[in-house]
Amino acid sequence: MASHRTTIGSRSYTFDCLRDLLAKASPRRSGDELSGVAATSDEQRVAAQMALADVPLTAFLNEAVVSYEDDEVTRLILDSHEAEAFTPLQSFTVGEFREWLLAYETDEQDLAGVAVGLTPEMVASVSKLMRNQDLILVASKVRVVTRFRNTLGLPGRLSIRLQPNHPIDDPQGIAASIVDGLAYGCGDAVIGINPATDSTQIVERLLQALDEVINRFEIPTQSCVLAHVTTQMAAIEKGLPVDLVFQSIAGTEAANRSFGIDLQLLDEAWQAARSLRRGTLGDNVMYFETGQGSCLSAGADFGVDQQTLEARAYAVARRYQPLLINTVVGFIGPEYLYDGKQILRAGLEDHFCGKLLGLPMGCDVCYTNHAEADQDDMDNLLTLLGTAGCNYFMGVPGADDIMLNYQSTSFHDAHYLRQLLDLRPAPEFESWLRSMDLIDSRCRLLPVDKNHRLLEWSSKI
């Protein structure tokens, strides 16, 4: 492992290896300080960024930040690297890579062409040299389109996960939230429920309830019950209506083991979900969630900064061609992202890195109640990610998830962003909303009276 040196004024700085250099170059965040890998001063951070700018991109193919022999995520990253796609960039340093990304001439087609030639460490490294506006501008050039029962990620479109969680999985409470969300034009990304427990019986009941409402009203969307992947696989074996298979993932093998998963298990789940052939427009059947700090919270970070580890989780996701992936950016708490500023920066980084790696990135713009953040901070991040071309966000009743006990974005927030940026739902879902008299031709919400079919259905639950 080569050391890296740079000088600021009369003071020289040395960084022992790429892992150390990446950590010291990261913008300040509480998780890296907690793990002891962060820069100890702003000057050291700038010195690390200067040194990182001169590192050849090929260095990330020759020096792993987590041991190849001991980590299957590292093996996945390096063994699946496509040298031909990397060819246009192989002579670049990290700094030159940044200039290429920002160039007028570099467009969506160029970025799509090199995506499989990029490693997570490459995209994480260049993000550390970028201001927020750089992250937004480059990400806005990238569109990643996926399909199951509708088409997600198209230009001019913004999708929303309808998240009708309930603390006791009460059918009436869930139904009320579903109707509320649909009335606000939410639910085209997925109608996805986090069950209060991983009980097989409850998961089966929720799967059947979601399938019933989608079929009854012929909603061009997909459902997901976000239980552990093994519970969902058991449901598939029983012949239950599983659309998308969900799992939280992380950037090291050890962290994924703490979730009770490995790549072999995910391979089996992917094949099981595809075998059902429930999609009408495509077979993107996986849904993943990630978050900065997950490896550190599992004691599986190996001295790597949390943002680089987050990017490595995207290599896991990329293997399975997911319909949806989102960073739950402020969910883990202030130990990892202390305040609104750190959450905002992390959300922009995650979206940028995921898009460069070819993923259909969404974001749960969120915070916990003990973080130094509030809903104004979330408005800021939501708006910035909207301009950056984020595929989808969460829709939570009142922005307050009463089951998971955190603050997210509401159905109202989705409508705000669509109005502000002149964005529409997924095309198939938009047509359905119009057929149900929920929106007009300009995507303006229409009032829902007491005799509407959705209200009639929910009242009988």
Side-chain angles (χ1 to χ4, degrees):
M1 292 185 290
S3 61
H4 306 268
R5 297 181 178 84
T6 193
T7 301
I8 296 180
S10 60
R11 186 164 186 176
S12 295
Y13 290 89
T14 300
F15 306 95
D16 295 335
C17 57
L18 274 180
R19 180 175 59 244
D20 182 44
L21 182 62
L22 288 167
K24 297 298 189 295
S26 289
R28 184 181 181 185
R29 63 206 58 199
S30 52
D32 291 339
E33 292 173 336
L34 177 66
S35 66
V37 303
T40 56
S41 68
D42 289 337
E43 185 174 285
Q44 187 188 38
R45 182 173 294 109
V46 171
Q49 292 168 344
M50 292 170 61
L52 182 59
D54 292 332
V55 172
L57 289 181
T58 52
F60 298 100
L61 301 175
N62 300 318
E63 182 180 334
V65 298
V66 181
S67 168
Y68 180 93
E69 291 74 20
D70 300 330
D71 187 89
E72 68 174 1
V73 177
T74 299
R75 293 194 291 275
L76 170 65
I77 291 167
L78 294 178
D79 293 349
S80 63
H81 179 255
E82 295 198 14
E84 184 176 352
F86 182 60
T87 299
L89 311 176
Q90 64 183 357
S91 65
F92 286 2
T93 64
V94 176
E96 289 168 339
F97 182 33
R98 175 184 177 274
E99 293 172 0
W100 181 80
L101 290 170
L102 290 167
Y104 289 126
E105 296 77 15
T106 303
D107 59 17
E108 178 181 352
Q109 184 175 353
D110 295 323
L111 294 171
V114 301
V116 292
L118 296 171
T119 70
E121 291 84 356
M122 291 176 191
V123 299
S125 67
V126 76
S127 76
K128 298 174 193 297
L129 306 185
M130 291 185 149
R131 291 171 57 185
N132 289 356
Q133 64 176 241
D134 299 335
L135 299 174
I136 293 167
L137 179 59
V138 174
S140 73
K141 298 181 180 185
V142 183
R143 303 307 307 183
V144 182
V145 177
T146 56
R147 294 176 176 86
F148 189 76
R149 290 201 190 98
N150 56 23
T151 308
L152 305 176
L154 292 170
R157 304 284 174 171
L158 172 66
S159 297
I160 304 296
R161 169 187 162 187
L162 202 170
Q163 186 169 309
N165 295 345
H166 194 279
I168 59 170
D169 294 323
D170 176 66
Q172 289 184 323
I174 290 170
S177 294
I178 290 174
V179 171
D180 193 21
L182 292 173
Y184 274 96
C186 300
D188 50 344
V190 63
I191 303 176
I193 302 174
N194 297 86
T197 72
D198 211 49
S199 159
T200 301
Q201 182 179 6
I202 288 175
V203 169
E204 292 177 2
R205 175 165 58 81
L206 293 175
L207 284 168
Q208 291 168 334
L210 290 175
D211 190 56
E212 193 275 334
V213 68
I214 288 173
N215 286 330
R216 178 169 181 165
F217 294 105
E218 299 181 315
I219 309 173
T221 191
Q222 36 282 329
S223 68
C224 187
V225 177
L226 285 71
H228 191 269
V229 65
T230 53
T231 305
Q232 297 167 83
M233 291 170 70
I236 291 174
E237 291 175 4
K238 289 186 176 183
L240 289 161
V242 176
D243 287 346
L244 306 184
V245 169
F246 165 83
Q247 182 56 46
S248 295
I249 56 174
T252 67
E253 178 181 348
N256 283 324
R257 279 203 307 268
S258 76
F259 292 152
I261 62 168
D262 57 22
L263 296 181
Q264 181 179 348
L265 181 61
L266 292 179
D267 286 347
E268 294 171 5
W270 184 34
Q271 295 305 324
R274 294 178 73 187
S275 72
L276 298 179
R277 301 185 183 277
R278 291 177 58 82
T280 55
L281 297 183
D283 65 349
N284 299 117
V285 296
M286 301 299 281
Y287 175 17
F288 296 114
E289 288 186 344
T290 65
Q292 288 195 28
S294 57
C295 292
L296 177 57
S297 67
D301 59 297
F302 302 100
V304 182
D305 70 274
Q306 66 183 37
Q307 189 255 333
T308 299
L309 290 169
E310 170 72 4
R312 284 168 54 92
Y314 303 154
V316 177
R318 182 166 64 175
R319 176 181 177 90
Y320 303 103
Q321 302 165 26
L323 181 79
L324 305 166
I325 172 173
N326 67 269
T327 167
V328 192
V329 66
F331 183 75
I332 304 181
E335 300 85 357
Y336 307 95
L337 295 169
Y338 178 72
D339 57 16
K341 181 175 182 177
Q342 292 188 11
I343 293 171
L344 184 147
R345 172 71 190 190
L348 295 178
E349 289 170 345
D350 296 349
H351 178 252
F352 166 89
C353 289
K355 279 286 187 69
L356 283 191
L357 292 170
L359 287 169
M361 288 301 296
C363 184
D364 190 342
V365 176
C366 63
Y367 64 102
T368 57
N369 288 315
H370 61 310
E372 289 295 322
D374 59 26
Q375 212 64 38
D376 286 337
D377 295 310
M378 300 306 102
D379 287 348
N380 294 341
L381 178 53
L382 176 70
T383 305
L384 293 175
L385 283 171
T387 65
C390 194
N391 278 27
Y392 73 102
F393 298 101
M394 305 301 119
V396 177
D400 182 7
D401 193 306
I402 58 175
M403 193 280 284
L404 292 172
N405 291 309
Y406 79 117
Q407 308 303 309
S408 184
T409 48
S410 71
F411 304 143
H412 307 70
D413 296 334
H415 190 54
Y416 145 74
L417 198 60
R418 283 174 175 162
Q419 289 181 86
L420 177 70
L421 301 177
D422 192 23
L423 301 171
R424 292 172 175 262
E428 303 85 357
F429 193 76
E430 180 187 346
S431 296
W432 178 82
L433 290 170
R434 292 177 64 180
S435 73
M436 292 289 287
D437 296 322
L438 295 173
I439 62 170
D440 64 18
S441 61
R442 294 180 290 177
C443 278
R444 294 186 177 185
L445 300 179
L446 296 174
V448 177
D449 65 35
K450 63 181 180 181
N451 296 317
H452 196 281
R453 285 181 288 164
L454 287 173
L455 288 176
E456 180 184 359
W457 164 75
S458 65
S459 67
K460 295 178 180 178
I461 299 298

